[in-house]
């Protein structure tokens, strides 16, 4: 299907589905899972029918087609009662909600790996809404093919996240941010870990990266995830299944739990963790190998996440993750942890992103990239700083993303820095020639700068790209208020402690004089 046709189908589907929700009693959160479940059934039927003729042609009366024959082709077995084409033709008086619940049950019985993943409770939806939803999705198996279903699933996730606001952002990271992380990380093959995996978007983009380089993702990648919110785990598993991936996704709180034995176990780590989380019970974390540089005194989880990502890497592993801007300049105990991380030689690339890329916050963020493989190489003593705050595509007044050519351009700057071949299929040629006419990396004022460890130390171990690229000061609306407030409060607490200690000394000295 042409990209323009697919975009039209996605927009039409969402508009119709959203109108149905607007006329029902359901919140976006209550409506999300049933709708995504129907998209999943449509995709399962599509893949089943695509191989059915071949499977049945190879069968005989003595050896009829079996579930195993479909599994061998990485296809779910879809019994008659689980097909949308059957559900839409139900007799007028039938209980539609009950029929869909039974369809979900039937597909899980024939595919045990889907047990407890697919949505239930369709009987709770109004009959009229269900009938219209079935009419909307039933034609899809014959209209779409392959990755088109994955695009529609991700599009619906994105739209639901936008409607749910902050809650939606906990399970969905915008596509273009994930794509940029993947392009810089370059996960060609190996074990991929996301300890805050949400709906699994990082894994899906890893698979697409591998496929763009003409390799089968299911053979090249093994994916492992942890997600705190129980209701989000099925979204991730459905997302993986829609893209032909299988993975080990566990429900776990990654501050306290380590279900995958992560230390030193993964080739790639990707994540968009929650920022500036407080009230973490750090006494439970003392001595844990996932925090090799020590626990921060600040009531803030940012440097707990950063250390987890670092500790999970193999000696040649790479990590890419989203982080609050404040972490790059945080002082005191967090600065000491950041210093140790820089001195390890693993910090590779820092990318500043403008505001309005996320549904949950309007603030800008920074993408951090670690690479343990550069330790012992000429790049060990350097960090590439990229200020991409002036590079974006304005979707509407409140939202931005990257165009494919912009993503490729930013990733190509990193490739030039690493001495790798650039890629130009996404349309980054013009930007490359404008900024790097010789086809080699060079510092560009306002865009990129390779800084040595000595230069970073001179900047008080800051990892804020704007300090190095010569970019103008950030607009006040871009200030990370919560992060700055946290840093100021830690400084206030430290000064208060020092004052208390000094007062005790003064009191003791004065008392000694009086007693004499």
């Amino acid at each position: 299907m042409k990209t323009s046709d697919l975009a039209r189908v996605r927009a039409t589907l969402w508009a119709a589905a959203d109108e149905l929700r607007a006329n029902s009693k359901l919140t976006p959160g209550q409506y999300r899972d049933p709708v995504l479940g129907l998209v999943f059934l449509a995709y399962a039927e599509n893949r089943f029918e695509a191989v059915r003729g071949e499977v049945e042609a190879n069968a005989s009366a003595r050896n009829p087609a079996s579930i195993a024959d479909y599994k061998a082709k990485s296809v779910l077995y879809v019994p008659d009662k689980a097909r949308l084409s059957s559900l839409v033709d139900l007799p007028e008086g039938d209980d539609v909600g009950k029929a869909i619940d039974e369809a979900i049950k039937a597909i899980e019985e024939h595919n045990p790996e889907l047990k407890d993943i697919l949505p239930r409770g369709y009987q709770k939806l109004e009959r009229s809404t269900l009938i219209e939803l079935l009419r909307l999705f039933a034609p899809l198996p014959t209209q779409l093919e392959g990755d088109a279903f994955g695009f529609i699933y991700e599009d619906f996730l994105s739209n639901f996240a936008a409607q749910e606001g902050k809650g939606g952002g906990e399970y969905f990271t915008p596509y273009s941010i994930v794509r940029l992380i993947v392009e810089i990380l370059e996960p060609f093959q190996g074990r991929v870990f996301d300890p805050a995996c949400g709906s699994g978007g990082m894994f899906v983009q890893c698979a697409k990266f591998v496929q763009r380089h003409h390799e089968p993702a299911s053979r090249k990648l093994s994916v492992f995830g942890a997600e705190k919110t129980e209701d989000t785990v099925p979204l991730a598993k459905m997302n993986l299944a829609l893209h032909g991936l299988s993975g080990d996704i566990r429900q776990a709180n990654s501050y306290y739990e380590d279900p995958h034995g992560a230390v030193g176990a993964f080739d790639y780590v990707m994540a968009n963790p929650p920022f500036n989380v407080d009230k973490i019970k750090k006494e439970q974390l003392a001595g844990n190998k996932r925090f090799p540089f020590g626990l921060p005194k600040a009531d803030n989880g940012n440097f707990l996440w950063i250390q987890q990502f670092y500790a999970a890497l193999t000696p040649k592993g790479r990590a890419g993750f989203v982080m609050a801007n404040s972490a790059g300049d945080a002082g005191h105990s967090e600065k000491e942890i950041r210093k140790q991380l820089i001195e390890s030689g693993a910090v590779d690339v820092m990318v500043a992103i403008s505001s309005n890329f996320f549904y949950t916050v309007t603030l800008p963020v920074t993408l951090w990239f670690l690479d343990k493989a550069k330790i012992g190489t000429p790049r060990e003593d350097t960090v590439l700083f990229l200020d991409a705050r002036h590079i974006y595509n304005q979707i509407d007044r409140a939202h931005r993303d990257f165009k494919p050519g912009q993503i490729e351009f930013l990733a190509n700057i990193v490739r030039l820095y690493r001495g790798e071949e650039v890629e130009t299929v996404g349309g980054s040629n013009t930007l490359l020639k404008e900024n790097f006419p010789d086809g080699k990396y060079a510092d560009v004022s306002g865009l990129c700068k390779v800084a040595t460890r000595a230069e970073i130390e001179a900047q008080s171990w800051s990892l804020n790209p704007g300090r190095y690229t010569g970019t103008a000061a950030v607009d006040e609306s871009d200030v990370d208020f919560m992060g700055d407030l946290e840093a100021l409060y830690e400084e206030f607490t430290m000064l208060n402690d020092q004052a208390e200690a000094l007062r005790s000394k003064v009191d003791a000295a004065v008392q000694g004089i009086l007693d004499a």
Side-chain angles (χ1 to χ4, degrees), residues 22-224:
N23 293 314
S24 75
K25 301 173 183 177
L26 302 174
T27 65
Q30 293 170 322
Y31 187 66
R32 179 195 70 198
D33 292 350
V35 168
L36 293 174
L38 292 179
V39 174
F40 185 90
L41 287 181
Y43 180 64
E45 181 176 346
N46 170 275
R47 295 195 72 198
F48 178 81
E49 291 295 343
V51 302
R52 187 178 184 180
E54 181 184 350
V55 170
E56 292 184 351
N58 292 328
S60 65
R62 296 184 64 181
N63 293 297
S66 67
I67 294 176
D69 294 323
Y70 289 93
K71 298 287 184 185
K73 295 186 174 295
S74 300
V75 170
L76 300 172
Y77 182 81
V78 185
D80 288 342
K81 67 187 304 183
R83 295 172 195 166
L84 284 187
S85 53
S86 299
L87 292 168
V88 78
D89 292 329
L90 289 171
E92 186 70 28
D94 279 22
D95 186 333
V96 179
K98 182 180 179 181
I100 299 176
D101 281 337
E102 289 178 350
I104 294 292
K105 183 180 178 181
I107 200 168
E108 287 187 348
E109 286 175 349
H110 288 85
N111 304 274
E113 68 271 26
L114 294 178
K115 183 173 173 56
D116 300 327
I117 292 176
L118 303 182
R120 293 284 208 290
Y122 283 89
Q123 295 177 73
K124 297 177 183 177
L125 276 69
E126 296 109 318
R127 174 182 168 82
S128 59
T129 300
L130 271 179
I131 290 174
E132 289 304 314
L133 283 173
L134 282 175
R135 288 176 180 167
L136 184 64
F137 291 113
L140 294 185
T142 58
Q143 292 179 348
L144 302 178
E145 61 184 41
D147 207 34
F149 279 95
F151 281 122
I152 287 173
Y153 186 86
E154 290 175 52
D155 195 52
F156 270 57
L157 276 175
S158 171
N159 288 327
F160 279 123
Q163 286 197 343
E164 293 176 50
K166 186 173 182 179
E170 291 178 356
Y171 65 78
F172 185 80
T173 304
Y175 165 82
S176 66
I177 292 289
V178 182
R179 174 80 184 269
L180 178 57
I181 292 174
V182 169
E183 289 295 322
I184 293 177
L185 207 60
E186 299 180 314
F188 285 105
Q189 65 178 35
R191 291 161 55 89
V192 183
F193 179 48
D194 183 347
C197 71
S199 56
M202 299 282 185
F203 301 134
V204 170
Q205 290 305 319
C206 282
K208 290 182 178 180
F209 174 86
V210 172
Q211 289 160 2
R212 281 196 297 275
H213 292 84
H214 312 294
E215 297 285 352
S218 59
R219 295 180 188 174
K220 293 289 183 179
L221 298 176
S222 302
V223 301
F224 302 82

Side-chain angles (χ1 to χ4, degrees), residues 310-339:
Y310 171 86
L313 295 175
T314 66
K316 299 292 184 183
R318 285 179 176 176
F321 51 91
V322 187
M323 186 48 62
N325 278 359
S326 57
D329 282 314
H332 308 300
S333 61
E334 292 173 307
K335 176 182 175 181
E336 178 56 33
I337 293 171
R338 190 172 63 248
K339 174 187 174 184

Side-chain angles (χ1 to χ4, degrees), residues 235-251:
L235 291 181
K237 292 183 177 181
M238 286 169 63
N239 203 3
L240 293 182
L242 273 168
H243 291 86
L245 294 170
S246 59
D248 187 353
I249 311 296
R250 310 275 185 91
Q251 193 270 318

